[in-house]
Amino acid sequence: MNKRAYNFNAGPAALPLKVLERAQAEFVDFRESGMSIMEMSHRGAIYESVHNEAQERLLSLLGNPKGYKVLFLQGGASTQFAMIPMNLISEGQVGSYVMTGSWADKAYKEAKLVGGAHVAASSEDKKFLAIPELSSIKAAENAAYLHVTSNETIEGTQYAEFPDAGSIPLIADMSSDILCRPIDVNQFGMIYAGAQKNLGPSGVTVVIAKEELLAESPSNIPTIMRYSTHYKNNSLYNTPPSFSVYMVNEVLKWIEEQGGLAGIHSKNLEKSGLLYDHIDGSDGFYRGVAEQGSRSIMNVTFRMQSEELEKQFVKAAELEGFVGLKGHRSVGGLRASIYNAVPYESVKALSDFMNHFRQTQG
């Protein structure tokens, strides 16, 4: 096998090698059925057992919170931006949104189109390079929910703790940091995430929600857009992205093997610590973008003295097998996405490369 790339893509992102190898071994003939899981009926017993197992395993990793249901949906987190207000905002209500960057802004704009949206707090004055103080977050009096984006991949910020939403549901888009650390699910009415950063390949979107938020949906929205449709049909109302669900289940098994969320968290702190220490100790050659207390352990964003130097860095890195280090086109700069499946060895190799580049250029 060719040497694997040092994959720092922001999404679709690295998958655990062990999971890819298991999937490869089972790809043509799944559980001696004579078929790939991709060829099976989603109504059949074999696929359904994988589907249910993935739901149970996800809740188990999150401490088996009572009264929550897992849905496997399609359309990415971007479809959830519309489904949430369509399903949850009643007449005379709004959704309250904490504005922390590009993804929070997209969610807010969809709610504005669909129901009504209110800004509960914003860090725009800091160019979205920090998470707002939790004490500054105030939901509207007529808010149906409070929405946060737990990790902003573009700016490289992440909530260290979450706000208390009081009697209204707290909803979190965790697309880019779900399962990177232990959380108390009971704080949330709903968590949702596109799979392609920390959970598996693209194609499936995971929703973990209190059952009362899913059980009844407005009858005037399209059937496929109602949470109640998917809740009542165990996410099998229409054909699910069966291969993606199977892969999510394999990734969840791998997380269990890493010591669950506590084990994964400790590895993520080690990886992000290595890069941030290197950036902070480079005498300004590299400069961290996000403010200290808001730094993401999933997306390390940094700059150099000039865009010209950044271009040289990316070019030299690519020649050494590093992939995905260019910052998002909307902000420029550099970004290393170090999701759960990115091994420590890749991060160490990047740190060594950064050191070498600094010595030759500085």
Side-chain angles (χ1 to χ4, degrees):
M1 186 171 82
N2 286 344
K3 182 168 169 266
R4 281 181 57 78
Y6 297 121
N7 185 353
F8 294 96
N9 277 327
L15 284 160
L17 180 59
K18 204 170 176 183
V19 169
L20 293 171
E21 287 170 345
R22 274 185 209 157
Q24 183 181 40
E26 296 182 327
F27 191 71
V28 174
D29 185 4
F30 186 64
R31 295 187 186 171
E32 299 179 343
S33 64
M35 293 180 283
S36 170
I37 192 157
M38 289 203 287
E39 302 174 282
M40 289 179 183
S41 165
H42 63 292
R43 306 279 177 214
I46 297 181
Y47 173 72
E48 209 161 336
S49 71
V50 171
H51 186 93
N52 293 337
E53 194 182 298
Q55 292 171 330
E56 284 158 22
R57 186 166 265 121
L58 179 54
L59 288 176
S60 163
L61 278 164
L62 292 166
N64 285 316
K66 295 282 170 278
Y68 285 79
K69 175 75 177 162
V70 172
L71 303 181
F72 293 132
L73 305 178
Q74 293 171 73
S78 299
T79 297
Q80 293 311 302
F81 297 163
M83 269 181 86
I84 288 163
M86 284 168 92
N87 280 268
L88 302 181
I89 297 178
S90 304
E91 191 70 39
Q93 288 185 313
V94 293
S96 275
Y97 286 75
V98 184
M99 304 300 281
T100 46
S102 311
W103 293 107
D105 185 54
K106 286 186 172 172
Y108 168 76
K109 282 179 175 153
E110 286 298 287
K112 232 171 144 178
L113 284 176
V114 171
H118 157 261
V119 176
S122 173
S123 55
E124 190 172 7
D125 60 328
K126 295 186 170 179
K127 296 185 178 164
F128 298 123
L129 298 179
I131 297 295
E133 292 287 331
L134 295 192
S135 57
S136 74
I137 299 172
K138 301 276 186 283
E141 282 183 17
N142 61 336
Y145 55 81
L146 176 65
H147 181 284
V148 295
T149 306
S150 62
N151 183 80
E152 288 280 2
T153 53
I154 293 175
E155 293 80 9
T157 61
Q158 185 179 30
Y159 284 79
E161 289 173 38
F162 292 99
D164 180 356
S167 60
I168 61 168
L170 177 62
I171 297 181
D173 174 1
M174 289 194 180
S175 293
S176 52
D177 68 346
I178 192 166
L179 304 189
C180 78
R181 57 185 173 179
I183 55 163
D184 177 8
V185 176
N186 295 296
Q187 274 187 280
F188 301 91
M190 181 185 290
I191 291 165
Y192 66 97
Q196 65 274 13
K197 298 171 193 290
N198 253 358
L199 287 174
S202 57
V204 63
T205 307
V206 172
V207 171
I208 306 155
K210 284 188 173 165
E211 295 188 57
E212 62 259 32
L213 292 182
L214 304 173
E216 299 298 331
S217 296
S219 55
N220 63 341
I221 61 175
T223 310
I224 196 76
M225 299 297 280
R226 296 176 205 164
Y227 286 126
S228 59
T229 300
H230 303 286
Y231 173 71
K232 286 166 186 163
N233 291 280
N234 191 31
S235 303
L236 295 165
Y237 172 75
N238 63 330
T239 309
S242 49
F243 185 73
S244 295
V245 172
Y246 154 76
M247 286 292 284
V248 166
N249 192 36
E250 293 303 315
V251 170
L252 297 176
K253 283 183 199 171
W254 176 82
I255 292 173
E256 288 174 344
E257 290 158 8
Q258 309 307 303
L261 298 190
I264 282 283
H265 187 214
S266 125
K267 289 180 170 71
N268 286 332
L269 290 175
E270 192 182 6
K271 292 186 303 189
S272 57
L274 182 65
L275 289 186
Y276 285 125
D277 286 351
H278 194 109
I279 290 163
D280 294 342
S282 70
D283 294 326
F285 186 79
Y286 300 109
R287 191 178 78 254
V289 172
E291 286 190 13
Q292 284 273 4
S294 299
R295 283 175 164 181
S296 169
I297 61 170
M298 295 281 98
N299 309 96
V300 176
T301 49
F302 58 104
R303 302 292 315 232
M304 296 168 76
Q305 285 106 324
S306 70
E307 284 184 25
E308 193 43 54
L309 199 55
E310 289 169 355
K311 279 181 191 154
Q312 281 177 39
F313 177 89
V314 170
K315 210 169 179 181
E318 282 171 354
L319 292 173
E320 298 295 326
F322 293 93
V323 176
L325 291 171
K326 203 187 270 187
H328 191 271
R329 62 187 179 278
S330 63
V331 294
L334 301 158
R335 169 177 60 179
S337 295
I338 50 173
Y339 302 121
N340 289 353
V342 175
Y344 179 82
E345 293 69 32
S346 293
V347 180
K348 177 74 173 75
L350 175 58
S351 174
D352 291 346
F353 171 78
M354 288 167 75
N355 193 36
H356 176 73
F357 187 82
R358 182 179 152 212
Q359 283 169 354
T360 56
Q361 298 294 322

